[in-house]
């Protein structure tokens, strides 16, 4: 290894001589820091600086102000020999870092003043920052909220993931269709991160096994290097700074110079590109064998590098593994990191020569696992053949774990032979597959769901057998969100109003929002609350005009459904209501209609045909309605492309109505529902996920609940659900489906949505037709309430007031106390 990358040993004299500036946070100090960073870090001056240069100078100036606390955080954890939690996640949807950092340090307004004095457009710089392409949906956003709360609470630990070169994809809408393009979020560099060239690990694939006695060696492997990049996640008021370490793939060798010199330029870089593809994109299309293999390589790449890094850090201060489980907690955020289990066994048994039972005992004290789905088809499995070819040592370890586990189960339940088949880590039906969720459950001392209903159903359905074997392992930890980003940062008008009435400490103690209940009936506060909402709606209306070229009325009811596109989330049910409303407006144009703007946003996985078809339907319906003069401003429909955190920060504060309409029993929790309610939107939703707990906290009178409940959904399916019965007996429903099927919204291609209407009438697995009538009736109740603006605002205020239980700080405290057994360092 390059000795230039080895840390130097520090003498007492040099430590005493080592001094650096402690930076002030005044406007003058900030102005000087920004100017210094522009000249000395970016290499520009006032005459030559571009907006990108000013952005980087501002970034570096605020990053400098987090560094001292970041070093203090790391030093305190080391000095206390604190137990740390390592949060493994394929996604960290962190959003833009600059505004969050400015507010965490407490210099947002002063930095804006400093930039103005220097002639830099602060607001334009904020908008110039790219959203990091490190996630897609709720899984990644939850992980980001958790890092924020860990930093705010001083919980020692790190996040581990992958530094994707091109994110998942940037979404464009062309002629109504989703088009995927690379997300070039790194094209201008990332001024927030630090490359750590001294921290890199070899990750191996392929090869073969050689066994001599009990010693197994993994040889003749293909190798790739995992290189570390660190970003700081500052807590509120810089209480501490948590590290997010991301891995980037690097080839073990450079170009093939011989091939290059012979003019075969493609061959010269072929091996390099093959290695580095591992960290190119999030969730490569796995509809092909090559795509499946790349995904598996990707998942192993990041867990192997992370586990090697965790053990390296532990061994710096410990001479044996006796205290490993007392100093290390590893959390698996869904099943993507499940290969960490056999990888830790491999490292302990093969590399560090621990006895099998000792190594496995450590694993079962170290790992914990969060499940995020009840849908069996979404529980990750890998073909045995693929896993054996790519990770032969890990497949051997999984077989050995399975044999020991099944022997224990047989001894405990000798008369239930079918139980062995059901809980086996290997699914023997059809193509043999490894069940990654089962590995996660087997290795973890705690397994949690993410809402009360989800956790209950988890032990009754997908993990029922494991709950019977290990009843003490299962628990609930309802998700939460960070109020710093999702209210203080995203909704400055409402935050300022709340600050003026109850103070500012709610950012750390969200339960303090309960004081707003006493203000809900106060006319002055009600009026100010409505004004804050109007400001946010105008901001969104301006964005819609720029991005979608549609003019919408800020006084209309903003009806919003923004989330990952999936059939169980039922954007299609929302479309059916939109079509019904459109038909009714045409039939009764002079009726007292509540003007409504229906907003959609979300990405469909590139290989998800039906979800992409629904996006096209939304856009076709929007085109027809928005251009129909008979409708005028009574109804507008927009699909805002390329949904991301920075866009959510504009959309969510503007929403009047939050659509949380998944089929009951399918949404594990949801966090969008929490963000909308925190920002004063009323929820229309099913009795599902965290909707239930939101209803319990804000009051059933202040939320619109509709549809079949979980037990009713199960009963409908068990009795032979027939969607055509609902179609035949509901005129409005039949009309809506017929209009879509007849090509009213796609006259140039009348059969375009045949697959949608056929699926609705022949199977309708997610019971849209069964819930349609109640959904439409509930939407009429929404209209009735919106006609009474003071009462609408009163209920919206009560929603904000009831959101204290949904702070990610509460969730992380519960994880730290009940699962990780990790104590704050400050």
């Amino acid at each position: 290894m390059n000795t230039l990358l080895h840390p130097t040993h520090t003498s007492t004299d040099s430590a005493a001589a080592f001094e650096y500036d402690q930076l002030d946070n005044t406007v003058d100090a900030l102005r000087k820091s920004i100017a210094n960073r522009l000249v000395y870090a970016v290499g520009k001056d006032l005459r030559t600086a571009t907006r990108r240069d000013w952005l980087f100078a501002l970034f570096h100036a605020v990053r400098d102000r987090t560094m001292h606390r970041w070093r203090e955080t790391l030093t305190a954890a080391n000095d206390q020999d604190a137990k740390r939690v390592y949060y493994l996640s394929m996604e960290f949807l962190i959003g833009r870092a600059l505004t969050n950092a400015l507010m965490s340090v407490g210099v947002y307004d002063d930095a804006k003043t400093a930039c103005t004095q220097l002639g830099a457009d602060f607001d334009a710089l904020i908008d110039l920052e790219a959203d990091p392409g490190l996630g897609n949906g709720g899984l990644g956003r939850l992980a980001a909220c958790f890092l924020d709360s860990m930093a705010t609470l001083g919980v020692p630990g790190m996040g581990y993931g992958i530094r994707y070169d091109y994110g998942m994809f940037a979404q464009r809408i062309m002629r109504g269709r989703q088009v995927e393009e690379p997300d070039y979020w790194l094209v201008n560099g990332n001024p927030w991160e630090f490359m750590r060239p001294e921290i890199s690990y070899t990750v191996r694939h392929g090869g073969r096994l050689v066994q001599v006695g009990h010693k197994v060696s993994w040889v003749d492997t293909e190798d790739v290097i995992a290189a570390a990049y660190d970003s700081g996640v500052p807590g509120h008021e810089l209480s501490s700074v948590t590290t997010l370490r991301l891995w980037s793939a690097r080839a073990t060798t450079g170009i093939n110079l011989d091939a290059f010199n012979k003019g075969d330029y493609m061959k010269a870089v072929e091996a390099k590109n093959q290695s580095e593809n591992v960290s190119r994109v999030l969730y490569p299309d796995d509809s092909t064998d090559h795509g499946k293999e790349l995904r598996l390589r990707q998942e192993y790449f990041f867990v192997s590098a992370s586990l090697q890094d965790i053990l390296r850090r532990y061994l710096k201060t410990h001479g044996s593994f006796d205290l490993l489980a007392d100093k290390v907690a590893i959390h698996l955020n869904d099943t993507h990191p499940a290969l960490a289990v056999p990888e830790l066994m491999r490292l302990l048994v093969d590399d560090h020569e621990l006895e099998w039972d000792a190594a496995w005992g450590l694993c079962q004290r170290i790992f914990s696992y969060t499940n995020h789905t009840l849908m069996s088809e979404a529980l990750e499995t890998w073909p045995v053949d693929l896993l054996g070819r790519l990770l032969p040592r890990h497949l051997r370890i999984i077989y050995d774990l399975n044999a020991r586990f099944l022997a224990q189960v047989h001894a405990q339940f000798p008369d239930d032979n079918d139980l062995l088949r059901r809980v086996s880590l290997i699914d023997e039906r059809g193509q043999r597959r490894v069940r990654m969720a089962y590995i996660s459950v087997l290795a973890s001392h705690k397994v949690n769901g993410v809402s009360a209903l989800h956790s209950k159903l988890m032990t009754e359905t997908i993990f029922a057998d494991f709950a019977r074997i290990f009843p003490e392992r299962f628990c609930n930890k309802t998700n939460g969100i960070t109020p710093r980003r999702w209210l203080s940062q995203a909704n400055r008008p409402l935050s300022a109003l709340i600050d003026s009435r109850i103070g500012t400490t709610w950012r750390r103690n969200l339960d303090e929002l309960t004081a707003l209940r006493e203000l809900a009936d106060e006319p002055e506060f009600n009026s100010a609350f409505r004004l804050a909402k109007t400001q946010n709606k105008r901001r969104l209306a301006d964005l819609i005009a720029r991005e979608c070229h549609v003019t919408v009325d800020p006084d209309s009811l903003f009806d919003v459904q923004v989330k990952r596109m999936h059939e169980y989330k039922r954007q299609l049910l929302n479309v059916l209501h939109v079509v019904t409303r459109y038909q009714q407006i045409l039939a009764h144009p002079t009726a007292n209609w509540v003007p409504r703007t229906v907003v959609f946003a979300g990405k469909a996985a590139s290989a998800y045909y039906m979800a992409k078809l629904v996006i096209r339907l939304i856009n076709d319906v929007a085109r027809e309605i928005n251009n129909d003069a008979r409708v005028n401003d009574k109804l507008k429909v927009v699909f805002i492309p390329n949904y991301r955190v920075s866009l959510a920060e504009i959309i969510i504060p503007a929403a009047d109505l939050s659509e949380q309409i998944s089929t009951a029993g399918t949404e594990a929790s949801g966090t969008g529902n929490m963000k909308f309610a925190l920002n004063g939107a009323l929820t229309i939703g099913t009795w599902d996920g965290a909707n239930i707990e939101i209803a319990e906290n804000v009051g059933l009178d202040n939320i619109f609940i509709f549809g079949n409940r979980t037990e009713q959904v199960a009963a409908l399916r068990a009795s032979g659900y027939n969607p055509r019965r609902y179609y035949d007996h509901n005129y409005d429903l039949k009309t809506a489906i017929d209009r879509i099927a007849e090509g009213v919204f796609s006259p140039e291609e009348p059969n375009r949505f045949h697959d949608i209407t056929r699926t609705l009438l022949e199977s309708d697995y997610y019971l849209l037709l069964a819930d349609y009538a109640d959904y439409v009736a509930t939407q009429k109740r929404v209209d009735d309430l919106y006609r009474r603006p003071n009462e609408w605002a009163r209920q919206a205020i009560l929603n904000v007031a009831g959101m204290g239980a949904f702070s990610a700080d509460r969730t992380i405290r519960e994880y730290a106390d009940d699962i990780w057994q990790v104590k704050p360092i400050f």
Side-chain angles (χ1 to χ4, degrees):
M1 181 177 288
N2 189 344
T3 56
L4 292 174
L5 302 183
H6 289 173
T8 57
H9 296 288
T10 304
S11 68
T12 303
D13 291 341
S14 60
F18 181 72
E19 294 181 304
Y20 57 90
D21 293 337
Q22 299 293 313
L23 300 173
D24 291 331
N25 290 336
T26 64
V27 172
D28 288 345
L30 284 162
R31 185 179 64 249
K32 186 174 182 179
S33 288
I34 295 168
N36 279 333
R37 301 307 275 161
L38 182 67
V39 173
Y40 296 120
V42 183
K44 293 291 187 70
D45 58 23
L46 280 174
R47 292 175 299 173
T48 59
T50 65
R51 278 186 175 177
R52 182 262 185 195
D53 299 328
W54 282 111
L55 174 66
F56 273 49
L58 177 58
F59 246 122
H60 289 310
V62 69
R63 189 182 71 174
D64 289 347
R65 283 162 171 77
T66 69
M67 288 307 303
H68 182 69
R69 192 56 167 171
W70 195 358
R71 303 315 307 171
E72 285 185 333
T73 301
L74 296 172
T75 299
N78 288 331
D79 290 349
Q80 296 174 29
D81 194 18
K83 184 178 185 180
R84 307 185 207 199
V85 58
Y86 299 103
Y87 197 85
L88 273 56
S89 179
M90 283 290 284
E91 298 185 40
F92 286 95
L93 196 59
I94 55 177
R96 292 172 173 172
L98 181 55
T99 299
N100 181 68
L102 288 166
M103 296 182 77
S104 296
V105 177
V107 296
Y108 183 92
D109 293 329
D110 288 341
K112 185 172 185 176
T113 301
C115 285
T116 301
Q117 292 176 355
L118 289 166
D121 187 335
F122 179 83
D123 293 332
L125 298 185
I126 294 296
D127 287 338
L128 186 61
E129 182 187 354
D131 279 59
L134 301 174
N136 175 43
L139 183 84
R141 187 52 235 171
L142 180 75
C145 283
F146 280 1
L147 292 187
D148 176 276
S149 288
M150 287 169 62
T152 296
L153 298 175
V155 173
M158 295 175 64
Y160 279 111
I162 296 178
R163 183 180 183 266
Y164 302 103
D165 295 341
Y166 303 110
M168 189 169 84
F169 58 79
Q171 180 195 57
R172 290 182 60 200
I173 301 298
M174 297 182 63
R175 292 188 288 277
R177 294 182 299 128
Q178 170 179 293
V179 176
E180 301 95 23
E181 296 181 343
D183 179 0
Y184 295 105
W185 72 282
L186 286 171
V187 67
N188 290 316
N190 181 4
W192 192 246
E193 70 184 3
F194 290 93
M195 182 181 180
R196 303 297 191 195
E198 76 280 10
I199 299 175
S200 63
Y201 300 96
T202 299
V203 178
R204 299 189 284 166
H205 304 95
R208 59 190 177 86
L209 302 181
V210 175
Q211 183 164 355
V212 178
H214 294 293
K215 176 70 173 176
V216 178
S217 298
W218 187 15
V219 300
D220 299 336
T221 55
E222 306 167 22
D223 299 343
V224 62
I225 302 299
Y229 288 77
D230 287 354
S231 297
V233 180
H236 181 56
E237 296 178 334
L238 275 188
S239 45
S240 75
V241 180
T242 294
T243 300
L244 172 60
R245 176 160 291 173
L246 303 175
W247 302 106
S248 183
R250 298 287 182 266
T252 54
T253 57
I255 66 170
N256 183 332
L257 193 58
D258 182 59
F260 187 89
N261 288 334
K262 291 177 180 177
D264 194 345
Y265 304 126
M266 296 297 291
K267 183 178 180 181
V269 297
E270 182 180 7
K272 183 178 189 305
N273 287 339
Q274 177 77 12
S275 295
E276 297 179 0
N277 282 341
V278 170
S279 59
R280 296 287 190 215
V281 298
L282 167 66
Y283 301 143
D285 182 351
D286 62 353
S287 61
T288 66
D289 290 340
H290 288 298
K292 289 183 177 68
E293 179 174 327
L294 182 56
R295 274 215 194 186
L296 183 58
R297 286 178 179 268
Q298 195 175 63
E299 292 182 5
Y300 177 63
F301 166 78
F302 108 87
V303 301
S304 178
S306 302
L307 266 293
Q308 291 182 66
D309 196 46
I310 292 167
L311 292 188
R312 173 197 60 82
R313 184 176 298 106
Y314 170 82
L315 290 172
K316 283 174 64 176
T317 53
H318 300 87
S320 74
F321 288 100
D322 293 347
L323 296 177
L324 184 65
D326 297 317
K327 301 300 177 183
V328 170
I330 299 174
H331 197 83
L332 308 177
N333 189 29
D334 215 357
T335 55
H336 306 118
L339 283 167
V341 174
E343 174 66 359
L344 182 55
M345 286 295 291
R346 183 189 71 82
L347 291 170
L348 293 177
V349 173
D350 295 355
D351 290 5
H352 297 283
E353 300 183 341
L354 265 68
E355 294 294 328
W356 179 279
D357 289 343
W360 183 238
L362 289 171
C363 285
Q364 290 190 300
R365 294 174 58 203
I366 288 170
F367 284 111
S368 52
Y369 160 56
T370 295
N371 170 267
H372 287 278
T373 182
L374 293 171
M375 293 183 286
S376 57
E377 65 271 20
L379 295 178
E380 197 168 49
T381 62
W382 291 110
V384 165
D385 292 344
L386 174 60
L387 193 62
R389 177 167 53 82
L390 206 61
L391 300 170
R393 181 58 179 133
H394 299 74
L395 183 60
R396 174 84 65 88
I397 290 170
I398 291 168
Y399 277 149
D400 290 344
L401 289 174
N402 197 39
R404 288 169 167 80
F405 170 53
L406 294 182
Q408 294 170 2
V409 172
H410 181 65
Q412 187 176 353
F413 303 96
D415 299 325
D416 192 348
N417 289 327
D418 193 56
L419 178 63
L420 301 181
R421 177 191 61 79
R422 298 197 306 268
V423 301
S424 173
L425 304 183
I426 311 298
D427 186 350
E428 303 284 356
R429 299 169 298 178
Q431 183 189 31
R432 300 171 72 235
R433 304 181 71 88
V434 179
R435 295 160 158 165
M436 306 310 292
Y438 287 12
I439 292 174
S440 303
V441 172
L442 180 62
S444 297
H445 63 93
K446 287 292 181 183
V447 177
N448 71 281
V450 290
S451 72
L453 176 63
H454 169 240
S455 296
K456 175 178 178 290
L457 294 175
M458 184 177 68
T459 61
E460 294 174 351
T461 57
I462 55 173
F463 297 142
D465 290 318
F466 283 93
R468 179 181 167 201
I469 299 168
F470 305 117
E472 74 288 348
R473 291 191 184 182
F474 292 87
C475 62
N476 175 58
K477 295 288 172 275
T478 297
N479 282 343
I481 58 174
T482 169
R484 272 80 62 180
R485 181 176 291 269
W486 293 112
L487 183 52
S488 179
Q489 176 175 322
N491 197 338
R492 292 175 72 80
L494 181 55
S495 296
L497 174 61
I498 294 171
D499 289 347
S500 70
R501 300 305 296 268
I502 68 170
T504 62
T505 55
W506 57 266
R507 289 168 175 81
R508 185 186 282 267
N509 301 296
L510 199 60
D511 287 333
E512 293 179 8
L513 292 183
T514 56
L516 298 179
R517 287 179 178 144
E518 298 177 2
L519 304 175
D521 292 311
E522 182 185 293
E524 182 182 353
F525 187 80
N526 187 292
S527 177
F529 184 90
R530 289 163 55 196
L531 178 60
K533 178 63 72 173
T534 299
Q535 289 177 261
N536 291 319
K537 292 173 73 173
R538 286 175 179 161
R539 180 174 65 156
L540 177 57
D542 290 343
L543 182 144
I544 290 171
R546 289 195 311 271
E547 298 291 326
C548 305
H549 309 292
V550 176
T551 300
V552 302
D553 180 7
D555 291 330
S556 65
L557 188 158
F558 277 21
D559 176 354
V560 180
Q561 187 175 19
V562 291
K563 53 184 70 233
R564 179 169 57 92
M565 300 297 296
H566 197 289
E567 288 166 278
Y568 86 84
K569 294 179 182 289
R570 301 203 299 188
Q571 286 92 348
L572 185 53
L573 178 60
N574 193 344
V575 176
L576 290 175
H577 170 249
V578 168
V579 172
T580 297
R581 194 177 187 90
Y582 174 51
Q583 296 299 320
Q584 291 175 344
I585 289 172
L586 296 182
H588 309 284
T590 61
N592 182 25
W593 291 101
V594 171
R596 189 179 289 224
T597 298
V598 183
V599 178
F600 294 91
K603 296 179 180 180
S606 57
Y608 196 165
Y609 166 75
M610 191 60 76
K612 294 174 78 169
L613 192 59
V614 171
I615 289 177
R616 190 160 196 191
L617 175 61
I618 292 169
N619 282 289
D620 281 359
V621 168
R623 178 189 61 183
E624 184 72 18
I625 292 175
N626 296 341
N627 289 292
D628 191 333
R630 296 171 294 175
V631 175
N632 200 3
D633 288 333
K634 299 182 183 72
L635 180 63
K636 291 290 179 72
V637 182
V638 293
F639 186 98
I640 306 177
N642 205 30
Y643 187 54
R644 56 203 184 276
V645 173
S646 59
L647 187 56
E649 291 174 17
I650 297 173
I651 295 174
I652 290 173
D656 293 307
L657 187 67
S658 163
E659 299 269 355
Q660 308 297 330
I661 58 177
S662 55
T663 310
T666 59
E667 186 69 79
S669 170
T671 53
N673 46 10
M674 303 171 189
K675 294 163 195 157
F676 280 104
L678 182 63
N679 280 274
L682 300 188
T683 300
I684 182 169
T686 51
W687 198 250
D688 194 27
N691 292 353
I692 300 169
E693 288 154 86
I694 291 175
E696 292 168 350
N697 279 271
V698 307
L700 279 169
D701 292 339
N702 304 307
I703 189 171
F704 298 99
I705 297 295
F706 75 94
N708 288 282
R709 301 200 175 188
T710 304
E711 60 276 12
Q712 294 169 315
V713 168
L716 274 171
R717 287 173 175 162
S719 64
Y721 172 61
N722 179 13
R724 275 195 174 271
R725 182 170 66 85
Y726 296 89
Y727 169 83
D728 290 335
H729 290 85
N730 189 311
Y731 173 80
D732 290 335
L733 174 60
K734 185 177 188 300
T735 301
I737 292 176
D738 288 349
R739 294 294 180 270
I740 295 169
E742 292 163 1
V744 168
F745 303 103
S746 56
E748 67 279 15
E749 187 185 347
N751 293 325
R752 177 177 295 163
F753 303 114
H754 171 74
D755 287 342
I756 286 178
T757 56
R758 177 182 55 80
T759 300
L760 284 175
L761 296 177
E762 292 181 2
S763 57
D764 187 25
Y765 181 76
Y766 293 108
L767 277 65
L768 282 71
L769 274 58
D771 280 348
Y772 167 87
D774 197 13
Y775 180 54
V776 172
T778 305
Q779 290 284 12
K780 291 178 181 177
R781 290 172 46 213
V782 170
D783 286 340
D784 291 342
L785 183 63
Y786 197 73
R787 291 188 180 97
R788 297 180 288 150
N790 290 336
E791 177 59 20
W792 182 283
R794 187 187 74 85
Q795 293 193 23
I797 292 166
L798 292 175
N799 268 260
V800 178
M803 293 307 293
F806 300 99
S807 170
D809 296 352
R810 183 270 311 157
T811 313
I812 286 299
R813 284 192 190 95
E814 292 180 1
Y815 274 103
D817 293 343
D818 303 339
I819 296 179
W820 302 330
Q821 287 87 50
V822 172
K823 302 296 183 185
I825 52 174
F826 295 119

